[in-house]
Amino acid sequence: MKPVLVTGATGFVGWHVARLLVEKGYRVRALVRDPVRLRDLEVEAVRGDLRDRDSVVRAVTGCGSVFHVAADYRLWVPRPEEMYQSNVEGTATLLEAAGKAGVERVVYTSTVGCIGIPDGGEGNEETPVRLEDMTGAYKRSKFLAEQAALEAARKGLPVVIVNPTAPVGDHDLKPTPTGKIIVDFLRRRMPAFVDTGLNVVDVRDVAAGHLLAWERGQVGERYILGGENLTLEQIFRKLQTLSGIPAPKVRIPYAVAYFAGVVSTGFARLTGEEPKAPLDGVRMARKRMFASSEKAMKQLGYRPSAPEGALRRAIDWFQANGYC
């Protein structure tokens, strides 16, 4: 059996994809900067970086399939060019290496941020969207990387694309921006909220969706892997029920949040420290990121669960690991 390569196995979604593959008996190879961060996964580690072409080629060589999950996922970066190097150029390098190695399948992990979201409605894979609609370096870089994956598919590389929404659950090491919302809530650092919303999904369902796309997805197609559309206020109410910590009751106008983002991000440029309210994150919050997973459910057999179980595991894991 040829190994299956997973990039991003030290990250949140990538760790769960690699774990699920191992559980199902597959040989897993992981391209990682630091093998220690694999956190007890029984995989073959190849030390490297997406920005290092030689290490990418070493990792891909001999593999039957590739799950390209790795991405630089931050809402603020002091040097945006580094994000483009990892997310765009690194993806192009990996796709080129996969083609030359003759892999049988590539699953590319994009993001719901690359999906068009109509005002007041749910986005799906067919909702029109342009690069100009992308807010911030992260979304722009992921949009360009997704376009590279689509182009590779048109040229004959067997690529399937998945677009996770906002995953939550255990082992969110960094944590992700969504995980940070939970951590800040548990630390009682959420005195107020804005009128926005997310599609919240169990990270284990996202991992299962990756394998379904690998097994059943059509080459060149995109599949949203989501769960339940929730306003931020609804998310906080669920966290209150699960943790016993009171949810914030004050809703602030978008203009106030925007001003806080401008000030916070301005100080970050001076100090080099991550802002508490990244301006790009505030801009994203202007629109509710509601999406539909109907296509994945119909074509892949994707069946997301209710988010409460994942939120419970996230709370327990963050508390057990000293985040709050």
PDB file of all heavy atoms in Angstrom, residues 284-309:
ATOM      1  N   MET A 284     -14.564  41.011   8.085  1.00  0.00           N
ATOM      2  CA  MET A 284     -15.245  39.756   7.761  1.00  0.00           C
ATOM      3  C   MET A 284     -16.563  39.631   8.512  1.00  0.00           C
ATOM      4  O   MET A 284     -17.528  39.050   8.008  1.00  0.00           O
ATOM      5  CB  MET A 284     -14.342  38.571   8.113  1.00  0.00           C
ATOM      6  CG  MET A 284     -13.118  38.426   7.251  1.00  0.00           C
ATOM      7  SD  MET A 284     -12.094  37.032   7.803  1.00  0.00           S
ATOM      8  CE  MET A 284     -10.587  37.334   6.864  1.00  0.00           C
ATOM      9  N   ALA A 285     -16.604  40.169   9.731  1.00  0.00           N
ATOM     10  CA  ALA A 285     -17.793  40.033  10.569  1.00  0.00           C
ATOM     11  C   ALA A 285     -18.967  40.857  10.068  1.00  0.00           C
ATOM     12  O   ALA A 285     -20.094  40.692  10.546  1.00  0.00           O
ATOM     13  CB  ALA A 285     -17.461  40.435  12.014  1.00  0.00           C
ATOM     14  N   ARG A 286     -18.736  41.715   9.089  1.00  0.00           N
ATOM     15  CA  ARG A 286     -19.833  42.541   8.580  1.00  0.00           C
ATOM     16  C   ARG A 286     -20.903  41.683   7.901  1.00  0.00           C
ATOM     17  O   ARG A 286     -22.067  42.065   7.836  1.00  0.00           O
ATOM     18  CB  ARG A 286     -19.300  43.578   7.608  1.00  0.00           C
ATOM     19  CG  ARG A 286     -20.357  44.561   7.138  1.00  0.00           C
ATOM     20  CD  ARG A 286     -19.762  45.861   6.697  1.00  0.00           C
ATOM     21  NE  ARG A 286     -20.771  46.909   6.662  1.00  0.00           N
ATOM     22  CZ  ARG A 286     -20.499  48.198   6.491  1.00  0.00           C
ATOM     23  NH1 ARG A 286     -19.237  48.583   6.375  1.00  0.00           N
ATOM     24  NH2 ARG A 286     -21.461  49.090   6.448  1.00  0.00           N
ATOM     25  N   LYS A 287     -20.502  40.512   7.399  1.00  0.00           N
ATOM     26  CA  LYS A 287     -21.443  39.625   6.714  1.00  0.00           C
ATOM     27  C   LYS A 287     -21.507  38.294   7.450  1.00  0.00           C
ATOM     28  O   LYS A 287     -20.485  37.755   7.848  1.00  0.00           O
ATOM     29  CB  LYS A 287     -20.987  39.409   5.268  1.00  0.00           C
ATOM     30  CG  LYS A 287     -21.889  38.492   4.466  1.00  0.00           C
ATOM     31  CD  LYS A 287     -21.385  38.342   3.045  1.00  0.00           C
ATOM     32  CE  LYS A 287     -21.619  39.596   2.236  1.00  0.00           C
ATOM     33  NZ  LYS A 287     -21.342  39.370   0.802  1.00  0.00           N
ATOM     34  N   ARG A 288     -22.708  37.776   7.616  1.00  0.00           N
ATOM     35  CA  ARG A 288     -22.859  36.458   8.219  1.00  0.00           C
ATOM     36  C   ARG A 288     -22.388  35.395   7.226  1.00  0.00           C
ATOM     37  O   ARG A 288     -22.903  35.316   6.111  1.00  0.00           O
ATOM     38  CB  ARG A 288     -24.319  36.206   8.603  1.00  0.00           C
ATOM     39  CG  ARG A 288     -24.808  37.103   9.727  1.00  0.00           C
ATOM     40  CD  ARG A 288     -26.254  36.790  10.090  1.00  0.00           C
ATOM     41  NE  ARG A 288     -26.694  37.604  11.225  1.00  0.00           N
ATOM     42  CZ  ARG A 288     -27.899  37.538  11.766  1.00  0.00           C
ATOM     43  NH1 ARG A 288     -28.792  36.681  11.255  1.00  0.00           N
ATOM     44  NH2 ARG A 288     -28.220  38.304  12.786  1.00  0.00           N
ATOM     45  N   MET A 289     -21.432  34.572   7.645  1.00  0.00           N
ATOM     46  CA  MET A 289     -20.854  33.555   6.768  1.00  0.00           C
ATOM     47  C   MET A 289     -21.678  32.278   6.824  1.00  0.00           C
ATOM     48  O   MET A 289     -21.215  31.228   7.268  1.00  0.00           O
ATOM     49  CB  MET A 289     -19.393  33.302   7.161  1.00  0.00           C
ATOM     50  CG  MET A 289     -18.472  34.485   6.956  1.00  0.00           C
ATOM     51  SD  MET A 289     -18.350  34.983   5.228  1.00  0.00           S
ATOM     52  CE  MET A 289     -17.547  33.560   4.519  1.00  0.00           C
ATOM     53  N   PHE A 290     -22.914  32.379   6.363  1.00  0.00           N
ATOM     54  CA  PHE A 290     -23.815  31.237   6.353  1.00  0.00           C
ATOM     55  C   PHE A 290     -23.683  30.495   5.023  1.00  0.00           C
ATOM     56  O   PHE A 290     -23.609  31.116   3.965  1.00  0.00           O
ATOM     57  CB  PHE A 290     -25.262  31.673   6.564  1.00  0.00           C
ATOM     58  CG  PHE A 290     -25.565  32.112   7.972  1.00  0.00           C
ATOM     59  CD1 PHE A 290     -26.786  32.705   8.280  1.00  0.00           C
ATOM     60  CD2 PHE A 290     -24.644  31.940   9.000  1.00  0.00           C
ATOM     61  CE1 PHE A 290     -27.077  33.104   9.570  1.00  0.00           C
ATOM     62  CE2 PHE A 290     -24.930  32.341  10.297  1.00  0.00           C
ATOM     63  CZ  PHE A 290     -26.153  32.925  10.586  1.00  0.00           C
ATOM     64  N   ALA A 291     -23.655  29.179   5.091  1.00  0.00           N
ATOM     65  CA  ALA A 291     -23.421  28.376   3.892  1.00  0.00           C
ATOM     66  C   ALA A 291     -24.206  27.078   3.961  1.00  0.00           C
ATOM     67  O   ALA A 291     -24.648  26.643   5.032  1.00  0.00           O
ATOM     68  CB  ALA A 291     -21.927  28.084   3.734  1.00  0.00           C
ATOM     69  N   SER A 292     -24.359  26.442   2.809  1.00  0.00           N
ATOM     70  CA  SER A 292     -25.097  25.187   2.705  1.00  0.00           C
ATOM     71  C   SER A 292     -24.159  24.057   2.298  1.00  0.00           C
ATOM     72  O   SER A 292     -23.336  24.208   1.393  1.00  0.00           O
ATOM     73  CB  SER A 292     -26.211  25.328   1.659  1.00  0.00           C
ATOM     74  OG  SER A 292     -26.778  24.066   1.346  1.00  0.00           O
ATOM     75  N   SER A 293     -24.309  22.908   2.956  1.00  0.00           N
ATOM     76  CA  SER A 293     -23.524  21.705   2.632  1.00  0.00           C
ATOM     77  C   SER A 293     -24.353  20.696   1.831  1.00  0.00           C
ATOM     78  O   SER A 293     -24.004  19.516   1.769  1.00  0.00           O
ATOM     79  CB  SER A 293     -23.018  21.037   3.919  1.00  0.00           C
ATOM     80  OG  SER A 293     -22.186  21.894   4.650  1.00  0.00           O
ATOM     81  N   GLU A 294     -25.417  21.158   1.202  1.00  0.00           N
ATOM     82  CA  GLU A 294     -26.331  20.250   0.505  1.00  0.00           C
ATOM     83  C   GLU A 294     -25.623  19.434  -0.573  1.00  0.00           C
ATOM     84  O   GLU A 294     -25.884  18.240  -0.732  1.00  0.00           O
ATOM     85  CB  GLU A 294     -27.478  21.042  -0.112  1.00  0.00           C
ATOM     86  CG  GLU A 294     -28.533  20.169  -0.789  1.00  0.00           C
ATOM     87  CD  GLU A 294     -29.697  20.973  -1.321  1.00  0.00           C
ATOM     88  OE1 GLU A 294     -29.743  22.197  -1.090  1.00  0.00           O
ATOM     89  OE2 GLU A 294     -30.571  20.381  -1.987  1.00  0.00           O
ATOM     90  N   LYS A 295     -24.717  20.058  -1.318  1.00  0.00           N
ATOM     91  CA  LYS A 295     -24.017  19.337  -2.386  1.00  0.00           C
ATOM     92  C   LYS A 295     -23.199  18.184  -1.816  1.00  0.00           C
ATOM     93  O   LYS A 295     -23.237  17.060  -2.339  1.00  0.00           O
ATOM     94  CB  LYS A 295     -23.118  20.287  -3.164  1.00  0.00           C
ATOM     95  CG  LYS A 295     -22.337  19.629  -4.291  1.00  0.00           C
ATOM     96  CD  LYS A 295     -21.487  20.653  -5.041  1.00  0.00           C
ATOM     97  CE  LYS A 295     -20.651  19.999  -6.123  1.00  0.00           C
ATOM     98  NZ  LYS A 295     -19.821  20.992  -6.863  1.00  0.00           N
ATOM     99  N   ALA A 296     -22.448  18.441  -0.755  1.00  0.00           N
ATOM    100  CA  ALA A 296     -21.637  17.386  -0.139  1.00  0.00           C
ATOM    101  C   ALA A 296     -22.521  16.290   0.437  1.00  0.00           C
ATOM    102  O   ALA A 296     -22.173  15.105   0.390  1.00  0.00           O
ATOM    103  CB  ALA A 296     -20.740  17.967   0.952  1.00  0.00           C
ATOM    104  N   MET A 297     -23.658  16.654   0.968  1.00  0.00           N
ATOM    105  CA  MET A 297     -24.559  15.668   1.538  1.00  0.00           C
ATOM    106  C   MET A 297     -25.144  14.770   0.443  1.00  0.00           C
ATOM    107  O   MET A 297     -25.242  13.545   0.603  1.00  0.00           O
ATOM    108  CB  MET A 297     -25.665  16.372   2.330  1.00  0.00           C
ATOM    109  CG  MET A 297     -25.148  17.113   3.559  1.00  0.00           C
ATOM    110  SD  MET A 297     -26.388  18.150   4.372  1.00  0.00           S
ATOM    111  CE  MET A 297     -27.424  16.900   5.119  1.00  0.00           C
ATOM    112  N   LYS A 298     -25.503  15.363  -0.682  1.00  0.00           N
ATOM    113  CA  LYS A 298     -26.103  14.592  -1.767  1.00  0.00           C
ATOM    114  C   LYS A 298     -25.074  13.752  -2.519  1.00  0.00           C
ATOM    115  O   LYS A 298     -25.310  12.583  -2.819  1.00  0.00           O
ATOM    116  CB  LYS A 298     -26.817  15.535  -2.737  1.00  0.00           C
ATOM    117  CG  LYS A 298     -28.112  16.110  -2.222  1.00  0.00           C
ATOM    118  CD  LYS A 298     -28.792  16.963  -3.278  1.00  0.00           C
ATOM    119  CE  LYS A 298     -30.149  17.463  -2.796  1.00  0.00           C
ATOM    120  NZ  LYS A 298     -30.819  18.305  -3.825  1.00  0.00           N
ATOM    121  N   GLN A 299     -23.918  14.345  -2.837  1.00  0.00           N
ATOM    122  CA  GLN A 299     -22.956  13.666  -3.700  1.00  0.00           C
ATOM    123  C   GLN A 299     -21.949  12.807  -2.949  1.00  0.00           C
ATOM    124  O   GLN A 299     -21.452  11.818  -3.491  1.00  0.00           O
ATOM    125  CB  GLN A 299     -22.217  14.696  -4.567  1.00  0.00           C
ATOM    126  CG  GLN A 299     -23.108  15.425  -5.547  1.00  0.00           C
ATOM    127  CD  GLN A 299     -22.326  16.284  -6.534  1.00  0.00           C
ATOM    128  OE1 GLN A 299     -21.108  16.152  -6.690  1.00  0.00           O
ATOM    129  NE2 GLN A 299     -23.030  17.175  -7.217  1.00  0.00           N
ATOM    130  N   LEU A 300     -21.640  13.187  -1.714  1.00  0.00           N
ATOM    131  CA  LEU A 300     -20.613  12.463  -0.961  1.00  0.00           C
ATOM    132  C   LEU A 300     -21.183  11.590   0.153  1.00  0.00           C
ATOM    133  O   LEU A 300     -20.476  10.730   0.690  1.00  0.00           O
ATOM    134  CB  LEU A 300     -19.602  13.446  -0.347  1.00  0.00           C
ATOM    135  CG  LEU A 300     -18.914  14.432  -1.284  1.00  0.00           C
ATOM    136  CD1 LEU A 300     -17.946  15.309  -0.492  1.00  0.00           C
ATOM    137  CD2 LEU A 300     -18.192  13.712  -2.412  1.00  0.00           C
ATOM    138  N   GLY A 301     -22.423  11.854   0.549  1.00  0.00           N
ATOM    139  CA  GLY A 301     -22.960  11.164   1.720  1.00  0.00           C
ATOM    140  C   GLY A 301     -22.490  11.798   3.017  1.00  0.00           C
ATOM    141  O   GLY A 301     -22.485  11.155   4.076  1.00  0.00           O
ATOM    142  N   TYR A 302     -22.113  13.061   2.958  1.00  0.00           N
ATOM    143  CA  TYR A 302     -21.636  13.808   4.129  1.00  0.00           C
ATOM    144  C   TYR A 302     -22.795  14.036   5.097  1.00  0.00           C
ATOM    145  O   TYR A 302     -23.879  14.465   4.685  1.00  0.00           O
ATOM    146  CB  TYR A 302     -21.053  15.137   3.654  1.00  0.00           C
ATOM    147  CG  TYR A 302     -20.618  16.100   4.723  1.00  0.00           C
ATOM    148  CD1 TYR A 302     -19.539  15.819   5.545  1.00  0.00           C
ATOM    149  CD2 TYR A 302     -21.273  17.322   4.888  1.00  0.00           C
ATOM    150  CE1 TYR A 302     -19.126  16.721   6.515  1.00  0.00           C
ATOM    151  CE2 TYR A 302     -20.869  18.229   5.842  1.00  0.00           C
ATOM    152  CZ  TYR A 302     -19.793  17.923   6.661  1.00  0.00           C
ATOM    153  OH  TYR A 302     -19.386  18.823   7.614  1.00  0.00           O
ATOM    154  N   ARG A 303     -22.582  13.746   6.376  1.00  0.00           N
ATOM    155  CA  ARG A 303     -23.629  13.884   7.383  1.00  0.00           C
ATOM    156  C   ARG A 303     -23.076  14.588   8.626  1.00  0.00           C
ATOM    157  O   ARG A 303     -22.594  13.941   9.566  1.00  0.00           O
ATOM    158  CB  ARG A 303     -24.189  12.499   7.769  1.00  0.00           C
ATOM    159  CG  ARG A 303     -24.917  11.791   6.630  1.00  0.00           C
ATOM    160  CD  ARG A 303     -26.222  12.502   6.272  1.00  0.00           C
ATOM    161  NE  ARG A 303     -26.953  11.797   5.212  1.00  0.00           N
ATOM    162  CZ  ARG A 303     -26.823  12.057   3.912  1.00  0.00           C
ATOM    163  NH1 ARG A 303     -25.973  13.012   3.515  1.00  0.00           N
ATOM    164  NH2 ARG A 303     -27.515  11.389   3.021  1.00  0.00           N
ATOM    165  N   PRO A 304     -23.138  15.917   8.661  1.00  0.00           N
ATOM    166  CA  PRO A 304     -22.625  16.628   9.830  1.00  0.00           C
ATOM    167  C   PRO A 304     -23.532  16.459  11.046  1.00  0.00           C
ATOM    168  O   PRO A 304     -24.751  16.320  10.913  1.00  0.00           O
ATOM    169  CB  PRO A 304     -22.593  18.088   9.375  1.00  0.00           C
ATOM    170  CG  PRO A 304     -23.682  18.166   8.335  1.00  0.00           C
ATOM    171  CD  PRO A 304     -23.679  16.828   7.641  1.00  0.00           C
ATOM    172  N   SER A 305     -22.921  16.471  12.209  1.00  0.00           N
ATOM    173  CA  SER A 305     -23.658  16.364  13.469  1.00  0.00           C
ATOM    174  C   SER A 305     -23.949  17.755  14.020  1.00  0.00           C
ATOM    175  O   SER A 305     -23.440  18.761  13.537  1.00  0.00           O
ATOM    176  CB  SER A 305     -22.839  15.555  14.474  1.00  0.00           C
ATOM    177  OG  SER A 305     -21.553  16.139  14.635  1.00  0.00           O
ATOM    178  N   ALA A 306     -24.770  17.813  15.055  1.00  0.00           N
ATOM    179  CA  ALA A 306     -25.020  19.082  15.741  1.00  0.00           C
ATOM    180  C   ALA A 306     -23.729  19.558  16.396  1.00  0.00           C
ATOM    181  O   ALA A 306     -22.888  18.741  16.816  1.00  0.00           O
ATOM    182  CB  ALA A 306     -26.118  18.905  16.784  1.00  0.00           C
ATOM    183  N   PRO A 307     -23.524  20.864  16.513  1.00  0.00           N
ATOM    184  CA  PRO A 307     -22.234  21.380  16.990  1.00  0.00           C
ATOM    185  C   PRO A 307     -22.004  21.266  18.490  1.00  0.00           C
ATOM    186  O   PRO A 307     -20.876  21.458  18.953  1.00  0.00           O
ATOM    187  CB  PRO A 307     -22.262  22.845  16.563  1.00  0.00           C
ATOM    188  CG  PRO A 307     -23.717  23.196  16.547  1.00  0.00           C
ATOM    189  CD  PRO A 307     -24.420  21.940  16.092  1.00  0.00           C
ATOM    190  N   GLU A 308     -23.046  20.949  19.270  1.00  0.00           N
ATOM    191  CA  GLU A 308     -22.878  20.951  20.732  1.00  0.00           C
ATOM    192  C   GLU A 308     -21.789  19.997  21.202  1.00  0.00           C
ATOM    193  O   GLU A 308     -21.012  20.319  22.118  1.00  0.00           O
ATOM    194  CB  GLU A 308     -24.210  20.614  21.410  1.00  0.00           C
ATOM    195  CG  GLU A 308     -25.195  21.761  21.491  1.00  0.00           C
ATOM    196  CD  GLU A 308     -25.952  21.991  20.194  1.00  0.00           C
ATOM    197  OE1 GLU A 308     -25.729  21.220  19.232  1.00  0.00           O
ATOM    198  OE2 GLU A 308     -26.763  22.930  20.148  1.00  0.00           O
ATOM    199  N   GLY A 309     -21.718  18.807  20.604  1.00  0.00           N
ATOM    200  CA  GLY A 309     -20.703  17.850  21.028  1.00  0.00           C
ATOM    201  C   GLY A 309     -19.298  18.364  20.784  1.00  0.00           C
ATOM    202  O   GLY A 309     -18.400  18.184  21.616  1.00  0.00           O
TER     203      GLY A 309
END
